[in-house]
Amino acid sequence: MAKSFRKRVNPFKFENLLRLLFILVATVMILSACSVRQAQKTLLSAEGVKGAHIGIAIYNDTKGAWLTKYQSDHYFTPASNTKILATYLGLQFLGDSLPGWKMAENADTLFLMPLGDPSFMHPEFKYQPVVDIIKNTNKQVVIVGNNQDQFEIFGSGWSWADYAEDYQPERSRMPIYGNVVHFYQSNKKLEAIKPFYFFKDIVDLGKVEEKNWSRSRTGNRFFTTNENNKSKYFQVPFSQEDMPMVKALELLNDTLGKTISFQKQSTLPATSYKTIKTVATDSLLKIMMLRSDNFYADQIVLMASEQLFGKMDDAALLDSTKKLFFTDLPQKMRWADGSGLSRYNLNTPENYIAILQQMQAKFGEARIKNIFEKGGEGTISAYYKNFPGTMYAKTGTLGGQVALSGFIYTPKLQKLYFSVLVANHMSPTSTQVRRAVETYLTSVTKGL
């Protein structure tokens, strides 16, 4: 008969394991409590955030443990932290360079299909391969649309009152000049305007006296306001007047001196078209993140939709990508646009930690570091200049909302993921809130 053996557990070893586990749990709890106390001293009691709602999540990736969780599963309007998700879409769907256009041709006609590229004829980008193609061909040029598109010129939940603000250009399949009019002035004189097509629509040219530029609610009448501003460069969105492709075509014809026609849908098979790549994807993403460019972010969403569905449908794209890539987030999120202009967006600090970790795992830490803004750069150029470590982050600002999420390398080279979201603050500007967040994150990072 086979003997049965029962391994005995040494009670002293078992007690030691329990004691060690207790010490580890207690240490984590103490560190978390200390960090929350730091937040209470620096952030939660700061003048600019009294009465506001605050969520904090800090994860020590080096130690594999949470450093702080304070209302970290609560929902906030993340504002331009939403561009972190837009960056994810750009990295996932757009390749190394933007798939900006498609081209096909027959014996006498060149067909060009725009795919939402925001760099087209934008003064910021010298590389314009499609412009060169149009200039150098002797064939008739036809711009081809897609009548399957399902998107509006403004995103869901945007403010209708901001139609003339430089941060809210209209979206389109064929953006041109960034869908804004560029005004250049000096010595109280208008020096140049791009596209020049809109020069005829300026209603008070003789009154340029270091003022802001604006636009009529309907149509395209441009004028100066009563607000003083010594800036030499202004951008004002132009109205597409419910005819986005037609208006873009008018501007293209006027600029290039060509007679280019338009058709709503391609009559050629899809296999006839080849893709024209334009600017490097990471270059556009970096610009978008550094200055928090809403237009670039929302066009990235439309371009990603084109790549996934063969049409531009932002709502379907965001719904699909949530199911494809973000089913394992700690909390469900509400995602309405690429820029964060929409107040329908809702997210949590814990979700941003998970999204940032997933981005780095999927696309590589070096690539993400190159795209994100560092402390002292971009929209945080006035902050974190003497920070005790290195920060890579994205800001977010809407009326009453302030956000900052990213990752930090501490003086002892520990890696922290963090997200601090502030909602419904009553500070007259975001500066007080941002300084309070800066003080808090500095105090947390110093000892690590």
Side-chain angles (χ1 to χ4, degrees):
M1 181 175 178
K3 294 182 179 180
S4 62
F5 294 91
R6 188 154 128 206
K7 191 172 182 180
R8 298 181 61 186
V9 177
N10 188 323
F12 295 104
K13 288 185 177 180
F14 185 68
E15 287 177 9
N16 288 338
L17 287 172
L18 282 178
R19 190 178 294 111
L20 180 60
L21 181 61
F22 175 79
I23 292 170
L24 287 172
V25 172
T27 301
V28 170
M29 291 177 67
I30 290 169
L31 289 173
S32 181
C34 288
S35 187
V36 170
R37 283 198 293 273
Q38 282 178 307
Q40 289 170 338
K41 288 179 181 178
T42 56
L43 178 57
L44 303 181
S45 61
E47 185 65 30
V49 298
K50 285 183 179 178
H53 303 290
I54 301 174
I56 305 169
I58 304 178
Y59 183 77
N60 190 321
D61 193 61
T62 303
K63 295 188 175 182
W66 287 101
L67 187 62
T68 301
K69 292 172 79 173
Y70 177 80
Q71 300 187 152
S72 57
D73 60 348
H74 290 205
Y75 285 95
F76 297 81
T77 300
S80 284
N81 266 202
T82 307
K83 291 185 178 72
I84 294 173
L85 290 166
T87 297
Y88 193 108
L89 294 180
L91 294 171
Q92 177 67 39
F93 292 109
L94 302 186
D96 58 351
S97 297
L98 298 184
W101 293 71
K102 285 184 177 179
M103 182 179 75
E105 56 187 319
N106 56 27
D108 55 9
T109 306
L110 181 69
F111 299 91
L112 290 169
M113 181 184 295
L115 305 180
D117 180 7
S119 74
F120 181 59
M121 297 191 72
H122 196 298
E124 189 163 42
F125 297 97
K126 293 182 179 179
Y127 182 56
Q128 297 291 335
V130 174
V131 173
D132 292 339
I133 289 170
I134 294 172
K135 284 182 176 179
N136 295 327
T137 186
N138 292 320
K139 296 181 178 181
Q140 170 63 36
V141 178
V142 176
I143 301 295
V144 179
N146 186 335
N147 58 14
Q148 302 300 311
D149 288 346
Q150 295 182 42
F151 70 96
E152 303 292 335
I153 58 174
F154 286 156
S156 175
W158 289 12
S159 172
W160 66 268
D162 293 343
Y163 64 89
E165 300 295 338
D166 59 0
Y167 53 76
Q168 192 169 293
E170 298 176 3
R171 306 181 301 176
S172 65
R173 170 171 278 278
M174 182 180 163
I176 185 169
Y177 290 99
N179 285 358
V180 298
V181 181
H182 305 261
F183 294 91
Y184 304 86
Q185 63 188 52
S186 63
N187 299 319
K188 301 182 181 181
K189 293 182 179 179
L190 183 64
E191 300 288 342
I193 175 175
K194 292 182 180 180
F196 190 75
Y197 173 91
F198 288 111
F199 183 80
K200 60 182 174 45
D201 299 308
I202 298 175
V203 299
D204 59 350
L205 185 58
K207 298 180 181 179
V208 179
E209 297 176 354
E210 297 179 345
K211 304 291 186 181
N212 280 337
W213 283 89
S214 190
R215 195 200 84 210
S216 57
R217 174 69 183 88
T218 57
N220 282 302
R221 293 186 301 111
F222 298 91
F223 50 84
T224 55
T225 70
N226 292 324
E227 300 172 273
N228 291 321
N229 195 322
K230 294 185 178 181
S231 297
K232 295 183 179 180
Y233 174 60
F234 297 89
Q235 296 181 46
V236 180
F238 59 78
S239 170
Q240 299 178 81
E241 300 171 323
D242 299 322
M243 300 181 295
M245 295 287 285
V246 174
K247 179 58 67 176
L249 194 60
E250 287 179 10
L251 298 178
L252 185 61
N253 280 331
D254 185 74
T255 300
L256 300 184
K258 290 261 190 175
T259 302
I260 302 170
S261 56
F262 170 71
Q263 64 183 45
K264 292 182 179 180
Q265 189 74 16
S266 176
T267 55
L268 298 177
T271 53
S272 301
Y273 286 86
K274 66 178 183 179
T275 300
I276 302 173
K277 294 199 170 187
T278 58
V279 301
T281 299
D282 287 15
S283 296
L284 185 86
L285 293 175
K286 187 174 183 65
I287 294 170
M288 178 194 77
M289 294 291 268
L290 280 173
R291 68 164 178 250
S292 202
D293 193 295
N294 297 323
F295 180 64
Y296 288 175
D298 283 297
Q299 288 297 137
I300 284 169
V301 170
L302 295 181
M303 293 188 77
S305 175
E306 175 70 33
Q307 295 305 306
L308 187 61
F309 301 127
K311 65 178 181 178
M312 294 186 176
D313 186 338
D314 56 323
L317 184 278
L318 299 182
D319 183 63
S320 294
T321 50
K322 277 195 298 183
K323 295 172 182 176
L324 285 170
F325 307 118
F326 301 117
T327 55
D328 295 329
L329 296 182
Q331 293 84 36
K332 290 183 179 180
M333 65 175 173
R334 186 191 293 169
W335 189 7
D337 67 1
S339 61
L341 282 171
S342 175
R343 289 188 177 273
Y344 294 156
N345 291 311
L346 287 175
N347 223 330
T348 71
E350 287 182 25
N351 277 356
Y352 276 111
I353 302 298
I355 292 165
L356 289 164
Q357 289 175 319
Q358 185 172 319
M359 284 180 71
Q360 291 203 5
K362 190 167 191 177
F363 305 113
E365 184 175 0
R367 194 175 183 188
I368 302 304
K369 284 168 66 175
N370 181 60
I371 291 170
F372 274 57
E373 54 190 330
K374 291 174 66 175
E377 294 180 349
T379 58
I380 47 176
S381 60
Y383 304 88
Y384 303 98
K385 292 181 177 180
N386 299 310
F387 189 65
T390 306
M391 172 184 286
Y392 299 86
K394 181 69 197 82
T395 58
T397 309
L398 274 177
Q401 321 293 316
V402 167
L404 187 70
S405 301
F407 50 101
I408 294 168
Y409 295 94
T410 72
K412 296 179 182 179
L413 299 182
Q414 295 185 44
K415 184 178 180 181
L416 310 178
Y417 288 97
F418 73 92
S419 180
V420 180
L421 307 182
V422 180
N424 305 330
H425 72 82
M426 289 294 289
S427 180
T429 68
S430 64
T431 302
Q432 272 189 314
V433 181
R434 293 205 177 282
R435 288 298 178 199
V437 174
E438 179 184 32
T439 300
Y440 168 59
L441 290 176
T442 299
S443 67
V444 169
T445 306
K446 272 183 180 178
L448 298 175

